[in-house]
Coordinates of all heavy atoms in Angstrom, one line a residue:
M1 N 0.8 -1.2 0.0 CA 0.0 0.0 0.0 C 0.9 1.3 0.0 O 1.9 1.3 0.7 CB -0.9 0.0 1.2 CG -2.3 0.4 0.9 SD -3.4 -0.1 2.2 CE -3.6 1.4 3.1
A2 N 0.5 2.2 -0.8 CA 1.3 3.4 -0.9 C 1.1 4.3 0.3 O 0.0 4.4 0.9 CB 0.8 4.2 -2.1
K3 N 2.2 4.8 0.8 CA 2.2 5.7 1.9 C 2.0 7.1 1.5 O 2.8 7.6 0.7 CB 3.5 5.6 2.7 CG 3.6 4.3 3.5 CD 5.0 4.3 4.2 CE 5.2 2.9 4.9 NZ 6.5 2.8 5.5
R4 N 1.0 7.8 2.0 CA 0.8 9.2 1.7 C 0.1 9.8 2.8 O -0.7 9.2 3.6 CB 0.0 9.4 0.4 CG -1.3 8.5 0.3 CD -2.0 8.9 -1.0 NE -3.0 10.0 -0.7 CZ -4.1 10.2 -1.3 NH1 -4.4 9.4 -2.3 NH2 -4.9 11.1 -1.0
S5 N 0.3 11.1 3.0 CA -0.2 11.8 4.1 C -1.7 12.1 3.9 O -2.2 12.1 2.8 CB 0.5 13.2 4.3 OG 0.4 13.9 3.1
T6 N -2.4 12.3 5.0 CA -3.8 12.5 5.0 C -4.0 14.0 4.7 O -3.3 14.9 5.3 CB -4.4 12.2 6.3 OG1 -3.9 11.0 6.8 CG2 -5.9 12.1 6.3
P7 N -4.9 14.4 3.8 CA -5.1 15.8 3.6 C -5.6 16.5 4.8 O -6.5 16.0 5.5 CB -6.1 15.8 2.5 CG -6.5 14.5 2.1 CD -5.7 13.5 2.9
K8 N -5.1 17.7 5.1 CA -5.5 18.5 6.3 C -6.9 19.0 6.2 O -7.6 19.1 7.2 CB -4.5 19.6 6.5 CG -3.1 19.2 6.9 CD -2.7 19.6 8.3 CE -1.6 18.9 8.8 NZ -0.3 19.1 8.2
K9 N -7.2 19.5 5.0 CA -8.6 20.1 4.8 C -9.2 19.6 3.6 O -8.5 19.2 2.6 CB -8.5 21.6 4.7 CG -8.3 22.3 6.0 CD -8.0 23.8 5.8 CE -7.7 24.5 7.1 NZ -7.2 25.9 6.8
Q10 N -10.5 19.6 3.6 CA -11.2 19.1 2.4 C -11.1 20.2 1.3 O -11.3 21.4 1.6 CB -12.7 18.9 2.7 CG -13.4 18.2 1.5 CD -14.8 18.0 1.8 OE1 -15.3 18.3 2.8 NE2 -15.5 17.4 0.8
Q11 N -10.8 19.8 0.1 CA -10.6 20.7 -1.0 C -12.0 21.2 -1.5 O -12.9 20.4 -1.7 CB -9.8 20.1 -2.1 CG -9.1 21.1 -3.0 CD -8.1 20.4 -3.9 OE1 -8.5 19.3 -4.5 NE2 -7.0 20.9 -4.1
A12 N -12.1 22.5 -1.8 CA -13.3 23.0 -2.4 C -13.5 22.5 -3.8 O -12.6 22.3 -4.5 CB -13.3 24.5 -2.3
N13 N -14.8 22.4 -4.2 CA -15.1 21.9 -5.5 C -14.6 22.9 -6.6 O -14.1 22.5 -7.7 CB -16.6 21.8 -5.7 CG -17.1 20.6 -4.9 OD1 -16.4 19.6 -4.7 ND2 -18.4 20.6 -4.5
S14 N -14.6 24.2 -6.3 CA -14.2 25.2 -7.3 C -12.7 25.1 -7.5 O -12.2 25.3 -8.6 CB -14.5 26.6 -6.8 OG -13.8 26.9 -5.6
Q15 N -11.9 24.7 -6.5 CA -10.5 24.5 -6.6 C -10.1 23.4 -7.5 O -9.3 23.6 -8.4 CB -9.9 24.2 -5.2 CG -8.6 24.9 -5.0 CD -8.1 24.8 -3.5 OE1 -8.9 24.4 -2.7 NE2 -6.9 25.1 -3.3
S16 N -10.8 22.3 -7.4 CA -10.5 21.1 -8.2 C -11.0 21.4 -9.7 O -10.3 21.0 -10.6 CB -11.1 19.9 -7.7 OG -12.3 20.0 -7.2
S17 N -12.1 22.1 -9.8 CA -12.7 22.3 -11.1 C -11.8 23.3 -11.9 O -11.6 23.2 -13.1 CB -14.1 22.9 -11.0 OG -14.1 24.2 -10.6
R18 N -11.2 24.3 -11.1 CA -10.3 25.3 -11.7 C -9.1 24.6 -12.3 O -8.6 24.9 -13.4 CB -9.9 26.3 -10.7 CG -9.3 27.6 -11.3 CD -8.7 28.5 -10.3 NE -9.6 28.8 -9.2 CZ -9.2 28.9 -7.9 NH1 -8.0 28.7 -7.6 NH2 -10.1 29.2 -7.0
R19 N -8.5 23.6 -11.5 CA -7.4 22.9 -11.9 C -7.7 22.1 -13.2 O -6.9 22.1 -14.1 CB -6.9 21.9 -10.8 CG -5.6 21.3 -11.0 CD -5.1 20.3 -10.0 NE -5.7 20.3 -8.7 CZ -6.6 19.5 -8.3 NH1 -7.0 18.5 -9.1 NH2 -7.2 19.6 -7.1
Y20 N -8.8 21.4 -13.2 CA -9.2 20.7 -14.3 C -9.4 21.6 -15.6 O -9.0 21.2 -16.7 CB -10.5 19.9 -14.1 CG -11.0 19.2 -15.3 CD1 -10.3 18.2 -15.9 CD2 -12.2 19.7 -16.0 CE1 -10.7 17.6 -17.1 CE2 -12.6 19.1 -17.1 CZ -11.9 18.0 -17.7 OH -12.3 17.5 -18.8
K21 N -10.0 22.7 -15.4 CA -10.2 23.6 -16.5 C -8.9 24.1 -17.1 O -8.8 24.3 -18.3 CB -11.1 24.8 -16.1 CG -12.5 24.6 -16.1 CD -13.3 25.7 -15.5 CE -14.7 25.4 -15.3 NZ -15.4 26.4 -14.5
D22 N -8.0 24.4 -16.2 CA -6.6 24.8 -16.7 C -6.0 23.7 -17.5 O -5.5 24.0 -18.6 CB -5.8 25.1 -15.5 CG -4.5 25.8 -15.9 OD1 -4.6 26.8 -16.7 OD2 -3.4 25.4 -15.4
F23 N -6.1 22.5 -17.1 CA -5.5 21.4 -17.8 C -6.2 21.2 -19.1 O -5.6 21.0 -20.2 CB -5.7 20.1 -17.0 CG -5.4 18.8 -17.8 CD1 -4.1 18.4 -18.1 CD2 -6.5 18.1 -18.2 CE1 -3.9 17.3 -18.8 CE2 -6.3 16.9 -18.9 CZ -5.0 16.5 -19.2
R24 N -7.6 21.3 -19.1 CA -8.3 21.2 -20.4 C -8.0 22.3 -21.4 O -7.8 22.0 -22.6 CB -9.8 21.3 -20.0 CG -10.8 20.9 -21.1 CD -12.2 21.3 -20.8 NE -12.3 22.7 -20.5 CZ -13.4 23.3 -20.1 NH1 -14.4 22.6 -19.8 NH2 -13.4 24.6 -19.9
N25 N -7.9 23.5 -20.9 CA -7.5 24.6 -21.8 C -6.2 24.4 -22.5 O -6.0 24.7 -23.6 CB -7.6 26.0 -21.1 CG -9.1 26.4 -20.9 OD1 -10.0 25.9 -21.5 ND2 -9.3 27.2 -19.9
K26 N -5.2 24.0 -21.6 CA -3.9 23.8 -22.1 C -3.8 22.7 -23.2 O -3.2 22.8 -24.2 CB -2.9 23.4 -21.0 CG -2.3 24.6 -20.3 CD -1.4 24.2 -19.2 CE -0.9 25.4 -18.4 NZ -0.3 25.0 -17.2
A27 N -4.6 21.6 -22.9 CA -4.7 20.5 -23.9 C -5.3 20.9 -25.2 O -4.9 20.5 -26.3 CB -5.5 19.3 -23.2
R28 N -6.4 21.7 -25.1 CA -7.1 22.2 -26.3 C -6.1 23.1 -27.1 O -6.1 23.0 -28.3 CB -8.3 23.0 -25.8 CG -9.2 23.4 -26.9 CD -10.4 24.1 -26.4 NE -11.4 23.2 -25.7 CZ -12.4 23.5 -25.0 NH1 -12.6 24.8 -24.7 NH2 -13.2 22.6 -24.5
K29 N -5.4 24.0 -26.4 CA -4.4 24.8 -27.1 C -3.4 24.0 -27.9 O -3.0 24.3 -29.0 CB -3.8 25.8 -26.1 CG -4.0 27.2 -26.4 CD -3.3 28.1 -25.3 CE -4.1 29.4 -25.1 NZ -3.5 30.2 -24.1
R30 N -2.9 23.0 -27.2 CA -1.8 22.1 -27.8 C -2.4 21.4 -29.0 O -1.7 21.3 -30.0 CB -1.4 21.1 -26.8 CG 0.1 20.8 -26.8 CD 0.5 19.9 -25.7 NE 0.3 20.4 -24.4 CZ -0.3 19.7 -23.4 NH1 -0.7 18.5 -23.5 NH2 -0.5 20.3 -22.2
L31 N -3.6 21.0 -28.9 CA -4.3 20.2 -30.0 C -4.5 21.2 -31.2 O -4.3 20.8 -32.4 CB -5.6 19.7 -29.6 CG -6.3 18.7 -30.5 CD1 -5.4 17.4 -30.5 CD2 -7.6 18.3 -30.0
L32 N -4.9 22.4 -31.0 CA -5.1 23.4 -32.0 C -3.8 23.7 -32.7 O -3.8 24.0 -33.9 CB -5.8 24.6 -31.5 CG -7.3 24.5 -31.3 CD1 -7.8 25.8 -30.5 CD2 -8.1 24.4 -32.6
A33 N -2.7 23.7 -32.0 CA -1.4 24.1 -32.5 C -0.9 23.0 -33.4 O -0.2 23.2 -34.4 CB -0.4 24.4 -31.4
T34 N -1.2 21.7 -33.1 CA -0.7 20.6 -33.9 C -1.5 20.3 -35.2 O -0.9 19.9 -36.2 CB -0.6 19.3 -33.1 OG1 -1.9 19.1 -32.5 CG2 0.4 19.4 -32.0
T35 N -2.8 20.5 -35.1 CA -3.6 20.3 -36.3 C -3.8 21.5 -37.1 O -4.2 22.6 -36.7 CB -5.1 19.8 -35.9 OG1 -5.6 20.7 -35.0 CG2 -5.0 18.4 -35.3
A36 N -3.4 21.4 -38.4 CA -3.4 22.6 -39.3 C -4.7 22.5 -40.1 O -4.8 21.7 -41.1 CB -2.2 22.6 -40.2
L37 N -5.7 23.3 -39.7 CA -6.9 23.3 -40.5 C -6.9 24.4 -41.5 O -6.4 25.5 -41.3 CB -8.1 23.5 -39.5 CG -8.5 22.3 -38.6 CD1 -9.6 22.8 -37.7 CD2 -9.0 21.2 -39.5
S38 N -7.4 24.1 -42.7 CA -7.5 25.1 -43.8 C -8.9 25.2 -44.3 O -9.7 24.2 -44.1 CB -6.5 24.8 -44.9 OG -6.7 23.5 -45.4
K39 N -9.3 26.2 -45.0 CA -10.6 26.4 -45.5 C -10.7 25.8 -46.9 O -9.8 25.9 -47.7 CB -11.0 27.9 -45.5 CG -11.6 28.3 -44.2 CD -12.2 29.7 -44.4 CE -12.8 30.2 -43.1 NZ -13.3 31.5 -43.1
C40 N -11.9 25.2 -47.2 CA -12.1 24.6 -48.5 C -12.4 25.7 -49.5 O -13.0 26.7 -49.2 CB -13.3 23.7 -48.4 SG -13.9 23.0 -50.0
D41 N -11.8 25.6 -50.7 CA -12.0 26.6 -51.7 C -13.4 26.7 -52.2 O -13.9 27.7 -52.7 CB -11.0 26.4 -52.9 CG -9.5 26.4 -52.4 OD1 -9.3 27.2 -51.5 OD2 -8.7 25.7 -52.9
K42 N -14.0 25.5 -52.3 CA -15.4 25.4 -52.9 C -16.5 25.8 -51.9 O -17.3 26.7 -52.3 CB -15.6 23.9 -53.3 CG -16.8 23.7 -54.1 CD -16.4 24.0 -55.6 CE -17.7 23.7 -56.5 NZ -17.4 24.1 -57.9
C43 N -16.5 25.3 -50.7 CA -17.6 25.6 -49.8 C -17.2 26.4 -48.6 O -18.1 26.9 -47.9 CB -18.3 24.3 -49.4 SG -17.2 23.2 -48.4
G44 N -15.9 26.5 -48.3 CA -15.5 27.3 -47.2 C -15.5 26.6 -45.9 O -15.3 27.2 -44.8
E45 N -15.8 25.3 -45.9 CA -15.8 24.5 -44.7 C -14.3 24.2 -44.2 O -13.4 24.1 -45.1 CB -16.5 23.2 -44.9 CG -16.9 22.4 -43.7 CD -18.2 22.9 -43.1 OE1 -18.9 23.7 -43.8 OE2 -18.5 22.5 -42.0
A46 N -14.1 24.1 -42.9 CA -12.8 23.8 -42.4 C -12.4 22.3 -42.7 O -13.3 21.4 -42.6 CB -12.7 24.0 -40.9
R47 N -11.2 22.1 -43.2 CA -10.8 20.8 -43.6 C -9.3 20.6 -43.3 O -8.6 21.6 -43.1 CB -11.1 20.5 -45.1 CG -10.3 21.3 -46.0 CD -10.4 20.8 -47.4 NE -9.6 21.7 -48.3 CZ -8.3 21.6 -48.5 NH1 -7.6 20.6 -47.9 NH2 -7.6 22.4 -49.4
L48 N -8.9 19.4 -43.1 CA -7.5 19.1 -42.9 C -6.7 19.4 -44.2 O -7.2 19.1 -45.3 CB -7.3 17.6 -42.5 CG -7.6 17.3 -41.1 CD1 -7.6 15.8 -40.9 CD2 -6.6 17.9 -40.1
S49 N -5.5 19.9 -44.1 CA -4.7 20.2 -45.3 C -4.3 18.9 -45.9 O -4.1 17.9 -45.2 CB -3.5 21.0 -44.9 OG -2.8 20.4 -43.9
H50 N -4.1 18.9 -47.2 CA -3.7 17.7 -48.0 C -4.8 16.6 -48.0 O -4.4 15.4 -48.3 CB -2.4 17.2 -47.6 CG -1.3 18.2 -47.7 ND1 -0.8 18.7 -48.8 CD2 -0.7 18.8 -46.6 CE1 0.1 19.6 -48.5 NE2 0.2 19.7 -47.2
T51 N -6.0 16.9 -47.7 CA -7.1 15.9 -47.7 C -8.3 16.5 -48.4 O -8.5 17.7 -48.5 CB -7.5 15.5 -46.3 OG1 -7.9 16.6 -45.6 CG2 -6.5 14.7 -45.6
A52 N -9.2 15.6 -49.0 CA -10.4 16.1 -49.6 C -11.4 16.6 -48.6 O -11.4 16.2 -47.4 CB -11.0 14.9 -50.4
C53 N -12.2 17.6 -49.1 CA -13.2 18.2 -48.2 C -14.2 17.2 -47.8 O -14.7 16.4 -48.7 CB -13.8 19.4 -48.9 SG -15.1 20.2 -47.9
G54 N -14.6 17.1 -46.6 CA -15.6 16.2 -46.1 C -17.0 16.5 -46.5 O -17.9 15.6 -46.6
S55 N -17.3 17.8 -46.7 CA -18.7 18.2 -46.9 C -19.0 18.2 -48.4 O -20.1 17.9 -48.8 CB -19.0 19.5 -46.3 OG -18.1 20.5 -46.8
C56 N -18.1 18.6 -49.3 CA -18.4 18.7 -50.7 C -17.6 17.7 -51.6 O -17.9 17.4 -52.7 CB -18.2 20.1 -51.2 SG -16.5 20.7 -51.2
G57 N -16.5 17.1 -51.0 CA -15.7 16.1 -51.7 C -14.8 16.6 -52.8 O -14.3 15.9 -53.6
Y58 N -14.4 17.9 -52.7 CA -13.5 18.5 -53.6 C -12.1 18.5 -53.1 O -11.8 18.7 -51.9 CB -13.9 20.0 -53.9 CG -14.8 20.1 -55.2 CD1 -16.1 19.7 -55.1 CD2 -14.3 20.6 -56.3 CE1 -16.9 19.8 -56.2 CE2 -15.1 20.8 -57.5 CZ -16.4 20.3 -57.4 OH -17.2 20.5 -58.5
Y59 N -11.1 18.3 -54.0 CA -9.7 18.4 -53.6 C -9.0 19.0 -54.8 O -9.1 18.4 -55.9 CB -9.1 17.1 -53.2 CG -7.7 17.2 -52.8 CD1 -7.3 17.9 -51.6 CD2 -6.7 16.6 -53.5 CE1 -6.0 18.1 -51.3 CE2 -5.4 16.8 -53.2 CZ -5.0 17.5 -52.0 OH -3.7 17.6 -51.7
K60 N -8.3 20.1 -54.7 CA -7.5 20.7 -55.8 C -8.4 21.0 -57.0 O -8.0 20.8 -58.1 CB -6.3 19.9 -56.2 CG -5.2 20.1 -55.1 CD -3.9 19.5 -55.7 CE -2.7 19.7 -54.7 NZ -1.5 19.1 -55.2
G61 N -9.6 21.5 -56.7 CA -10.5 21.9 -57.8 C -11.2 20.9 -58.6 O -11.8 21.1 -59.6
R62 N -11.1 19.6 -58.1 CA -11.9 18.6 -58.8 C -12.5 17.6 -57.8 O -12.1 17.6 -56.6 CB -11.0 17.8 -59.8 CG -9.9 17.0 -59.1 CD -8.9 16.4 -60.1 NE -7.9 15.6 -59.4 CZ -8.0 14.3 -59.2 NH1 -9.1 13.7 -59.5 NH2 -7.0 13.7 -58.6
V63 N -13.6 16.9 -58.3 CA -14.3 16.1 -57.4 C -13.5 14.8 -57.1 O -13.1 14.1 -58.1 CB -15.7 15.7 -58.0 CG1 -16.5 14.9 -57.0 CG2 -16.5 17.0 -58.3
V64 N -13.3 14.5 -55.9 CA -12.6 13.3 -55.5 C -13.6 12.3 -54.9 O -13.6 11.1 -55.2 CB -11.4 13.6 -54.5 CG1 -10.7 12.3 -54.2 CG2 -10.5 14.6 -55.1
I65 N -14.4 12.8 -54.1 CA -15.5 11.9 -53.4 C -16.8 12.4 -54.0 O -17.2 13.6 -53.9 CB -15.5 12.1 -51.9 CG1 -14.1 11.8 -51.4 CG2 -16.5 11.1 -51.3 CD1 -13.8 12.3 -50.0
D66 N -17.5 11.5 -54.7 CA -18.8 11.8 -55.3 C -19.9 11.8 -54.2 O -20.3 10.7 -53.7 CB -19.1 10.8 -56.4 CG -20.2 11.4 -57.3 OD1 -20.7 12.5 -57.0 OD2 -20.6 10.7 -58.3
K67 N -20.3 13.0 -53.8 CA -21.3 13.1 -52.7 C -22.7 12.8 -53.2 O -23.6 12.6 -52.4 CB -21.2 14.5 -52.0 CG -19.9 14.7 -51.2 CD -20.1 14.0 -49.9 CE -18.8 14.0 -49.1 NZ -18.8 13.3 -47.8
S68 N -23.0 12.9 -54.5 CA -24.3 12.6 -55.0 C -24.7 11.2 -54.9 O -25.9 10.8 -54.8 CB -24.4 13.1 -56.5 OG -23.5 12.3 -57.3
K69 N -23.7 10.3 -54.9 CA -23.9 8.9 -54.8 C -24.1 8.4 -53.3 O -24.3 7.3 -53.0 CB -22.8 8.1 -55.5 CG -22.9 8.1 -57.0 CD -21.8 7.3 -57.5 CE -21.8 7.3 -59.1 NZ -20.6 6.6 -59.6
A70 N -23.8 9.4 -52.4 CA -23.8 9.0 -51.0 C -25.2 8.6 -50.6 O -26.2 9.1 -51.0 CB -23.4 10.2 -50.2
M71 N -25.2 7.6 -49.6 CA -26.5 7.1 -49.2 C -27.2 8.1 -48.3 O -26.6 8.7 -47.4 CB -26.2 5.8 -48.4 CG -27.4 4.9 -48.3 SD -27.0 3.3 -47.7 CE -25.6 3.4 -46.7
D72 N -28.5 8.3 -48.6 CA -29.2 9.3 -47.8 C -29.6 8.8 -46.5 O -29.4 9.4 -45.4 CB -30.5 9.7 -48.6 CG -30.1 10.4 -49.9 OD1 -29.1 11.1 -49.9 OD2 -30.9 10.3 -50.9
K73 N -30.2 7.6 -46.5 CA -30.7 7.0 -45.3 C -30.7 5.5 -45.3 O -30.9 4.9 -46.4 CB -32.2 7.5 -45.1 CG -32.8 7.4 -43.8 CD -34.2 8.0 -43.8 CE -34.9 7.8 -42.5 NZ -36.3 8.2 -42.6
I74 N -30.4 4.9 -44.2 CA -30.4 3.4 -44.2 C -31.9 3.0 -44.0 O -32.5 3.3 -43.0 CB -29.6 2.9 -43.1 CG1 -28.1 3.3 -43.3 CG2 -29.7 1.4 -43.0 CD1 -27.2 3.0 -42.1
T75 N -32.4 2.3 -45.1 CA -33.8 2.0 -45.1 C -34.0 0.5 -44.6 O -35.0 0.2 -43.9 CB -34.5 2.1 -46.4 OG1 -33.7 1.5 -47.4 CG2 -34.6 3.6 -46.8
K76 N -33.1 -0.3 -44.9 CA -33.2 -1.7 -44.6 C -32.1 -2.2 -43.6 O -30.9 -1.9 -43.9 CB -33.2 -2.6 -45.8 CG -34.0 -3.9 -45.7 CD -34.1 -4.5 -47.1 CE -34.9 -5.8 -47.1 NZ -35.0 -6.4 -48.4
V77 N -32.4 -2.9 -42.6 CA -31.4 -3.3 -41.7 C -31.4 -4.9 -41.7 O -32.5 -5.5 -41.5 CB -31.7 -2.8 -40.2 CG1 -30.7 -3.4 -39.3 CG2 -31.7 -1.3 -40.2
K78 N -30.3 -5.4 -42.1 CA -30.1 -6.9 -42.1 C -29.8 -7.3 -40.6 O -28.9 -6.9 -40.0 CB -29.0 -7.3 -43.0 CG -29.4 -7.2 -44.5 CD -28.2 -7.7 -45.3 CE -28.5 -7.5 -46.8 NZ -27.4 -7.8 -47.6
A79 N -30.7 -8.2 -40.2 CA -30.5 -8.7 -38.8 C -30.1 -10.2 -38.8 O -30.4 -10.9 -39.6 CB -31.7 -8.4 -38.0
Ligands
ZN1 ZN1 -15.7 21.8 -49.4

């Protein structure tokens, strides 16, 4: 069993939530710095660089993913 001292006072909820928020904001900032998002030329949606747009399927001015053939709704479920 790990030896550790007993806390002297109970920690306030705001104190622990503040610590967590600080951690969360730092993690969010780090993630935003690593992922390079760029805008789509066709529709203006945010997309990852060097990849086709997820909403319109365009990449470098031409259609890569045909969105018209995409399935609208799953009508039949095989069970
Ligand atoms: Zn697009």
Side-chain angles (χ1 to χ4, degrees):
M1 222 161 101
K3 287 179 184 175
R4 49 175 270 208
S5 59
T6 319
K8 289 245 165 68
K9 282 175 187 171
Q10 189 181 2
Q11 203 171 39
N13 287 333
S14 63
Q15 216 170 348
S16 42
S17 73
R18 197 190 308 141
R19 190 184 341 104
Y20 172 68
K21 275 175 192 168
D22 190 47
F23 167 77
R24 189 191 59 187
N25 286 339
K26 273 180 186 169
R28 191 175 283 167
K29 241 179 208 176
R30 217 176 299 133
L31 192 68
L32 280 171
T34 51
T35 53
L37 287 174
S38 56
K39 274 190 178 177
C40 175
D41 299 326
K42 193 83 179 174
C43 64
E45 196 84 12
R47 63 170 180 82
L48 283 168
S49 54
H50 305 287
T51 53
C53 178
S55 58
C56 65
Y58 265 74
Y59 182 67
K60 283 191 173 178
R62 64 187 182 92
V63 183
V64 181
I65 305 161
D66 199 358
K67 287 282 172 181
S68 61
K69 285 180 183 174
M71 202 165 27
D72 297 330
K73 199 177 174 185
I74 298 168
T75 50
K76 206 171 185 180
V77 179
K78 285 181 184 174

